[in-house]
Amino acid sequence: MGTFIIRRIVWTIPVILLVIFMTFVLMRQIAGNPFRTSERNVPEEIQRNLERKFGLDKPWYIQYVTYVKNVATFDLGPSLVLRNRDVNDIVREHFPRSLELGGLAFLFAFVVGILVGALSGLRANSALDYGAMFLSNVGYALPSFLVATLFIYFFALEWDLGFPTSGWTTWQSKVLPVIALGLAPMAAFARLVRGTMLETLQQDYIRTAKAKGLRWRRVVGLHVLRNSLIPVITAAGPTLGFLITGSFVIEQIFAIPGIGRYYVTAVTARDYSVVMGLTVLLAIIVILANLFVDIMYGILDPRTRDARA
Amino acid sequence: MVVNPREAPTPAIAGDVALLPSGAAGAPLRQSNLWRDALRRYSRNRAAVLAGSVFVLLLLFVLIFPFVSPYDSDKIDFALKAQGPSLSHPFGTDNFGRDLMTRTAVGGRVSMGIGFGATLAILLIGVAYGSISGFVGGRLDNGMMRLLDTLYGLPYLPFAIIVTAIFGNVTFWTMVVALSIVSWFTTARIVRGQIITLKENDYVRAARAVGARWYRVLGRHLLPNTLGVLIIAIFLELPGVILGEAILSFIGLGISPPDASWGQMANDGRTAYRIAPHIIAVPSIAIATLILCANFVADGLRDALDPRTKET
Amino acid sequence: MRIRTLWLMLATLVASLALVATGCGGSDDGGDAAGTGSSSGSTEEQTGGEAADQTITINWGTEPPSLDPGLASDTTSANILLNIMDPLVKLDDDLKPVPSLAESWDISEDGKTVTFNLSTEGAWTNGDPVTAKDFEYSWKRTISPELAADYAYQFYGIAGAQDYNGCKANCAAMADKVGVKAVDDQTLEVTLTTPQPWFIQQVAHHSFLAVHEPTIKQFGAKWTEAANIVTNGPFKLETWQHNSKIDIVKSEEWRDAANVKLTRVNGRMISDGTTAVQAFEAGEVDVTGTLPPEEIPRLKETEDYQQYPGLGTYTYGFNVKSITDVNQRKAMSLAINRREIIDNIAQADQLPATGWTPEGMPGYDTINPASPWLPENGDLEQAKTLMEQVSSPKKDITLLLNDSPGHRDIAVAVQAAWKELGLNVTIKQQEWAQFLEFIGPPPDKSIDVYRYGWIGDYVDAINFLELWTCESGNNSTNYCDPEYDKLVEDARKTQDNDARYEIYAELEDKLLGEDGAVPMSPIYFYTYVQLERPSVQDTLNLNLLDQSDLTKVVVTEG
């Protein structure tokens, strides 16, 4: 187990370098001037000044090497568009919020999803099963911007329940965005749990346990739920990564000052340093999340450790 | 924890697809029986049958209705702007006065086209990558998996944007490529996992011992046995692609007009949700229906292809 | 675990969430809770009187990219800066310059030297007095190549500025040659390259604001953070949580603080239009812009809707090297039904364009050509007739625009109109940065028509008309007429306003007159729409440049 972990951690370094390289190349591929923000063109002298200031007048390989060197010292550079801010500042101020949003949404999805899935699985093919699955799937199937807008309209505006329409300050302001973001993963987890539960319940050893007279509670708790958790945990890695990086829609609509908004805006504005910096950061997180999942998997199911290593 | 060694859960993300039983020889004769059995089991699942029928109906609607409809999906008439559902316009009109039912059908062609197109592309890439990696194994497998880790690390949305930006203009095919490029990783992993597990089976070993070439082994034995997993994977990837298209429309990278897709239509209707809720409701319900059907069909297929469940 | 237990868990979870949400609802928390009227001070009493609580909440919209006057280049930054800093000159309702920090100014005979006389009462928030030296330092800083300021070009009218900005070596010497000098603490002398009658108005622009040198030296790029910033205007920057809120409070030390009634402005940053409207209706903000066009017909019926004319023109530009026959351009221009577009798509009562220079510009009555090629309701008949006169028309048209929904909708309408002329229009929708690359100039060869908009930097028509000169960095039409350029030069030298307006009228004629070249087809003049609570409606206004002077705002009762 130990070597497995160490090997994986060592592998993350070339992976990160590759991520930086790919992002760097891709961003340079798309046409676009980071310094032109409106229809008003940038006069030549000013364009030259700007390029000189940000080192964009140097050949691309020098830019790449300089960037990698900076990243190694944790200096992600200044933003090209937000002239008074560094990427480090942006990360420090906004990333924790996205982390909070994604983390809470994940918690919501995990807890509620498993509950709903377990209930449905135990009462398979009943009205409850179909009903619960249908309702949770609806949350997954509707586009998130629609769900978010409806949430704000009904829960914050029309029904006067004490939720603000936007922002990320009081705990009330966090409820709606968290649920809106967590609905889809919740439905996915519920279906996974239900499916695996159905499978496991059919299996001989469960029937054997029941026949032997083991308490139903123990049976379900120990064996069934634990087995059902495996696919959920497998799905958890990418889900967590997605929640943190893909929260743009929710952040935009709920006016949450998270990293998702900055990311998409930066790509559109060709703010190279912000895009690069955030990509590196998020890549590290996703890779670590996957690593964590793999480790969990290894612990829970020793047979597959070799297959996955 | 005691886990029955016979029931090896697939080391993959979806996790809810059990192995197809591999007979001693893996000969085709047994397989066709399997499919017929599966069909029979599928038809006993009411929800799956319903979902399948709705799916087919939806497909027929988007293919046929534009030919039948009296309205042109592009004709602008501001006098009819944003009218609610009525006899002459069962779904109402949008904010250009165009008949929404016709628009939904036309938009459905684009959405479902992108959905299937991207899903197929995902499968092709995923199968190729996963089977090579799983089959060859060893160092190559390790390297390819690490590369996959890298690609997993690239955030979905910004990279979809970057890919779209590389193409310049957003057309049907641009969407297909952009969405499939950022979504094939999971499928590759599933296929790889499946191949690895299947590889150890006796009949495969036998085939290799006898000297069968790698493409025979892959094509004759391994891939057909992954077919079940793949079919289900289609219906599992479809929702992701459709929603991905909707999100790209939200950012503004939707299909160029006057073409439309359901995601684009839903976005357009979003700001008018107070005065004309039908403009956003109709395409959203269409999207939701498609996704729900895909999910239930996938569930039904999973149950049907796995001979152990549902023998109650 | 029994089923019942699982059920109980789920039920408890749901119930507790519901309880917590409803039971604790309504608690005030820094103005972010729901409930009406929680932030403004209006109560149900007699109308017209001043409210006790002079606080309002404004939705600024987007995060300002920078609050450094040298680096700020968008309207949000400009709006905030002009309220926390003290400009030399302000613009009144007729857009004429009125004294602000500069009590008076003198213009020399030849028009090339402008001298500003500063008030002695200007003061920075840390106590230092504001002197002419601050302005000299600030302007030279903005012109310097090291700062690489976007708006440095605004200063090119000053002697030596363009050279300094473009200098690559020996720049310190160049800095001394720039025509800005603090003769003494209260006198600022500016030397221009040519007489520019609009220069005084131009100085009202935010890039001409002064900055506090010691603060910049101490904090570097971080000097604009709320904890560090030193300002000299009627309001102070109290809080800046990036992408979340900007709060400003009244500065009691300001020279005219006695006349400022507003004590506090809380600022949110909600960029999504639908959410902004929802926030307003929930009572969380008192003023918001960014209204989605589709909501405007509904919002117009409410008492909160306010509309202001803007100094900007929305237009479609033609690539005259691709659509070579002027008759085809005239026909395409005639076919556009502006009224329909305004009423059904843009929906904010914009004014149909009748020329290039927008209404509200000083001298508009003289300048405006009442172009025959811009009929309000479109003239399909005449358009078709003209098309027939075109010997080899360009039938396949590529229309380029950026990916904003409003622009897309207008393009769809125009596409349908041009279809009537037998033209096959492909809409090429691009992402913003790519769109800007494509229009250049020079415009990409594949473009035949492109969408464009221009908002005035300062209030003189030259700002609009100089766009279409041959060398202009903003002319993506390939239109080049030496006579046009000559007229622009003449205008720059004409000091008398009326005479200059006549030249402007000639320029408009060259563009869109009866025999004009029609290198573009303006569609409408901008308006700015906002939702404002009745308690601030009378005193809170947007001028033509989308700025609000918060020193004039008074919160009334009811």
PDB file of all heavy atoms in Angstrom, chain C residues 86 121 234 250-260 551:
ATOM      1  N   ASP C  86     -11.709  63.579  -6.752  1.00  0.00           N
ATOM      2  CA  ASP C  86     -12.115  64.947  -7.020  1.00  0.00           C
ATOM      3  C   ASP C  86     -11.560  65.372  -8.374  1.00  0.00           C
ATOM      4  O   ASP C  86     -10.363  65.659  -8.477  1.00  0.00           O
ATOM      5  CB  ASP C  86     -11.530  65.839  -5.919  1.00  0.00           C
ATOM      6  CG  ASP C  86     -12.420  67.002  -5.578  1.00  0.00           C
ATOM      7  OD1 ASP C  86     -13.431  67.214  -6.294  1.00  0.00           O
ATOM      8  OD2 ASP C  86     -12.111  67.722  -4.611  1.00  0.00           O
ATOM      9  N   GLU C 121      -8.664  74.095  -1.180  1.00  0.00           N
ATOM     10  CA  GLU C 121      -9.321  73.261  -0.173  1.00  0.00           C
ATOM     11  C   GLU C 121      -9.292  71.768  -0.482  1.00  0.00           C
ATOM     12  O   GLU C 121      -9.841  70.975   0.262  1.00  0.00           O
ATOM     13  CB  GLU C 121     -10.775  73.715  -0.029  1.00  0.00           C
ATOM     14  CG  GLU C 121     -10.869  75.109   0.565  1.00  0.00           C
ATOM     15  CD  GLU C 121     -12.303  75.576   0.568  1.00  0.00           C
ATOM     16  OE1 GLU C 121     -13.205  74.725   0.396  1.00  0.00           O
ATOM     17  OE2 GLU C 121     -12.524  76.780   0.720  1.00  0.00           O
ATOM     18  N   PRO C 234     -15.638  63.214  -2.587  1.00  0.00           N
ATOM     19  CA  PRO C 234     -16.760  63.318  -1.652  1.00  0.00           C
ATOM     20  C   PRO C 234     -17.040  62.025  -0.896  1.00  0.00           C
ATOM     21  O   PRO C 234     -17.654  62.069   0.166  1.00  0.00           O
ATOM     22  CB  PRO C 234     -17.947  63.694  -2.544  1.00  0.00           C
ATOM     23  CG  PRO C 234     -17.524  63.375  -3.929  1.00  0.00           C
ATOM     24  CD  PRO C 234     -16.039  63.458  -3.971  1.00  0.00           C
ATOM     25  N   LYS C 250     -19.521  58.601   3.059  1.00  0.00           N
ATOM     26  CA  LYS C 250     -19.273  60.025   2.874  1.00  0.00           C
ATOM     27  C   LYS C 250     -17.995  60.435   3.577  1.00  0.00           C
ATOM     28  O   LYS C 250     -17.681  59.987   4.669  1.00  0.00           O
ATOM     29  CB  LYS C 250     -20.463  60.811   3.441  1.00  0.00           C
ATOM     30  CG  LYS C 250     -20.251  62.308   3.477  1.00  0.00           C
ATOM     31  CD  LYS C 250     -21.501  63.001   3.959  1.00  0.00           C
ATOM     32  CE  LYS C 250     -21.196  64.464   4.239  1.00  0.00           C
ATOM     33  NZ  LYS C 250     -22.366  65.196   4.715  1.00  0.00           N
ATOM     34  N   SER C 251     -17.254  61.283   2.901  1.00  0.00           N
ATOM     35  CA  SER C 251     -16.021  61.797   3.490  1.00  0.00           C
ATOM     36  C   SER C 251     -16.300  63.159   4.113  1.00  0.00           C
ATOM     37  O   SER C 251     -16.628  64.116   3.413  1.00  0.00           O
ATOM     38  CB  SER C 251     -14.942  61.931   2.408  1.00  0.00           C
ATOM     39  OG  SER C 251     -13.884  62.727   2.877  1.00  0.00           O
ATOM     40  N   GLU C 252     -16.216  63.232   5.424  1.00  0.00           N
ATOM     41  CA  GLU C 252     -16.504  64.490   6.096  1.00  0.00           C
ATOM     42  C   GLU C 252     -15.428  65.532   5.830  1.00  0.00           C
ATOM     43  O   GLU C 252     -15.638  66.721   6.042  1.00  0.00           O
ATOM     44  CB  GLU C 252     -16.636  64.260   7.612  1.00  0.00           C
ATOM     45  CG  GLU C 252     -17.795  63.343   7.998  1.00  0.00           C
ATOM     46  CD  GLU C 252     -19.154  63.937   7.638  1.00  0.00           C
ATOM     47  OE1 GLU C 252     -19.243  65.148   7.372  1.00  0.00           O
ATOM     48  OE2 GLU C 252     -20.133  63.178   7.601  1.00  0.00           O
ATOM     49  N   GLU C 253     -14.269  65.070   5.362  1.00  0.00           N
ATOM     50  CA  GLU C 253     -13.169  66.019   5.162  1.00  0.00           C
ATOM     51  C   GLU C 253     -13.233  66.699   3.810  1.00  0.00           C
ATOM     52  O   GLU C 253     -12.465  67.600   3.531  1.00  0.00           O
ATOM     53  CB  GLU C 253     -11.808  65.316   5.257  1.00  0.00           C
ATOM     54  CG  GLU C 253     -11.469  64.766   6.624  1.00  0.00           C
ATOM     55  CD  GLU C 253     -12.087  63.415   6.862  1.00  0.00           C
ATOM     56  OE1 GLU C 253     -12.120  62.602   5.905  1.00  0.00           O
ATOM     57  OE2 GLU C 253     -12.560  63.162   7.983  1.00  0.00           O
ATOM     58  N   TRP C 254     -14.141  66.263   2.929  1.00  0.00           N
ATOM     59  CA  TRP C 254     -14.176  66.822   1.594  1.00  0.00           C
ATOM     60  C   TRP C 254     -14.552  68.296   1.640  1.00  0.00           C
ATOM     61  O   TRP C 254     -15.368  68.724   2.469  1.00  0.00           O
ATOM     62  CB  TRP C 254     -15.183  66.047   0.731  1.00  0.00           C
ATOM     63  CG  TRP C 254     -15.100  66.380  -0.707  1.00  0.00           C
ATOM     64  CD1 TRP C 254     -13.979  66.368  -1.481  1.00  0.00           C
ATOM     65  CD2 TRP C 254     -16.169  66.793  -1.541  1.00  0.00           C
ATOM     66  NE1 TRP C 254     -14.290  66.742  -2.763  1.00  0.00           N
ATOM     67  CE2 TRP C 254     -15.637  67.002  -2.829  1.00  0.00           C
ATOM     68  CE3 TRP C 254     -17.528  67.000  -1.351  1.00  0.00           C
ATOM     69  CZ2 TRP C 254     -16.407  67.398  -3.910  1.00  0.00           C
ATOM     70  CZ3 TRP C 254     -18.306  67.410  -2.426  1.00  0.00           C
ATOM     71  CH2 TRP C 254     -17.731  67.619  -3.696  1.00  0.00           C
ATOM     72  N   ARG C 255     -14.038  69.068   0.712  1.00  0.00           N
ATOM     73  CA  ARG C 255     -14.184  70.516   0.770  1.00  0.00           C
ATOM     74  C   ARG C 255     -15.642  70.968   0.727  1.00  0.00           C
ATOM     75  O   ARG C 255     -15.987  72.013   1.228  1.00  0.00           O
ATOM     76  CB  ARG C 255     -13.393  71.166  -0.358  1.00  0.00           C
ATOM     77  CG  ARG C 255     -13.739  70.588  -1.700  1.00  0.00           C
ATOM     78  CD  ARG C 255     -12.790  71.071  -2.798  1.00  0.00           C
ATOM     79  NE  ARG C 255     -13.088  70.351  -4.025  1.00  0.00           N
ATOM     80  CZ  ARG C 255     -14.077  70.664  -4.845  1.00  0.00           C
ATOM     81  NH1 ARG C 255     -14.857  71.697  -4.574  1.00  0.00           N
ATOM     82  NH2 ARG C 255     -14.302  69.945  -5.928  1.00  0.00           N
ATOM     83  N   ASP C 256     -16.519  70.188   0.116  1.00  0.00           N
ATOM     84  CA  ASP C 256     -17.909  70.621   0.030  1.00  0.00           C
ATOM     85  C   ASP C 256     -18.818  69.618   0.732  1.00  0.00           C
ATOM     86  O   ASP C 256     -19.959  69.418   0.331  1.00  0.00           O
ATOM     87  CB  ASP C 256     -18.280  70.760  -1.448  1.00  0.00           C
ATOM     88  CG  ASP C 256     -19.502  71.637  -1.651  1.00  0.00           C
ATOM     89  OD1 ASP C 256     -19.862  72.367  -0.709  1.00  0.00           O
ATOM     90  OD2 ASP C 256     -20.113  71.559  -2.739  1.00  0.00           O
ATOM     91  N   ALA C 257     -18.311  68.991   1.789  1.00  0.00           N
ATOM     92  CA  ALA C 257     -19.061  67.908   2.435  1.00  0.00           C
ATOM     93  C   ALA C 257     -20.406  68.363   2.957  1.00  0.00           C
ATOM     94  O   ALA C 257     -21.340  67.579   3.063  1.00  0.00           O
ATOM     95  CB  ALA C 257     -18.230  67.309   3.570  1.00  0.00           C
ATOM     96  N   ALA C 258     -20.537  69.636   3.280  1.00  0.00           N
ATOM     97  CA  ALA C 258     -21.797  70.119   3.846  1.00  0.00           C
ATOM     98  C   ALA C 258     -22.960  69.897   2.904  1.00  0.00           C
ATOM     99  O   ALA C 258     -24.103  69.708   3.327  1.00  0.00           O
ATOM    100  CB  ALA C 258     -21.664  71.609   4.185  1.00  0.00           C
ATOM    101  N   ASN C 259     -22.678  69.898   1.594  1.00  0.00           N
ATOM    102  CA  ASN C 259     -23.773  69.770   0.635  1.00  0.00           C
ATOM    103  C   ASN C 259     -24.058  68.349   0.210  1.00  0.00           C
ATOM    104  O   ASN C 259     -24.925  68.108  -0.615  1.00  0.00           O
ATOM    105  CB  ASN C 259     -23.457  70.600  -0.623  1.00  0.00           C
ATOM    106  CG  ASN C 259     -23.674  72.074  -0.355  1.00  0.00           C
ATOM    107  OD1 ASN C 259     -24.582  72.438   0.381  1.00  0.00           O
ATOM    108  ND2 ASN C 259     -22.829  72.893  -0.928  1.00  0.00           N
ATOM    109  N   VAL C 260     -23.324  67.408   0.778  1.00  0.00           N
ATOM    110  CA  VAL C 260     -23.547  66.015   0.417  1.00  0.00           C
ATOM    111  C   VAL C 260     -24.456  65.382   1.451  1.00  0.00           C
ATOM    112  O   VAL C 260     -24.156  65.357   2.636  1.00  0.00           O
ATOM    113  CB  VAL C 260     -22.206  65.246   0.360  1.00  0.00           C
ATOM    114  CG1 VAL C 260     -22.469  63.780   0.082  1.00  0.00           C
ATOM    115  CG2 VAL C 260     -21.302  65.834  -0.690  1.00  0.00           C
ATOM    116  N   THR C 551     -23.090  62.835  -5.197  1.00  0.00           N
ATOM    117  CA  THR C 551     -23.170  63.964  -4.271  1.00  0.00           C
ATOM    118  C   THR C 551     -24.530  64.637  -4.351  1.00  0.00           C
ATOM    119  O   THR C 551     -24.919  65.376  -3.459  1.00  0.00           O
ATOM    120  CB  THR C 551     -22.096  65.028  -4.570  1.00  0.00           C
ATOM    121  OG1 THR C 551     -22.283  65.483  -5.915  1.00  0.00           O
ATOM    122  CG2 THR C 551     -20.706  64.456  -4.443  1.00  0.00           C
TER     123      THR C 551
END
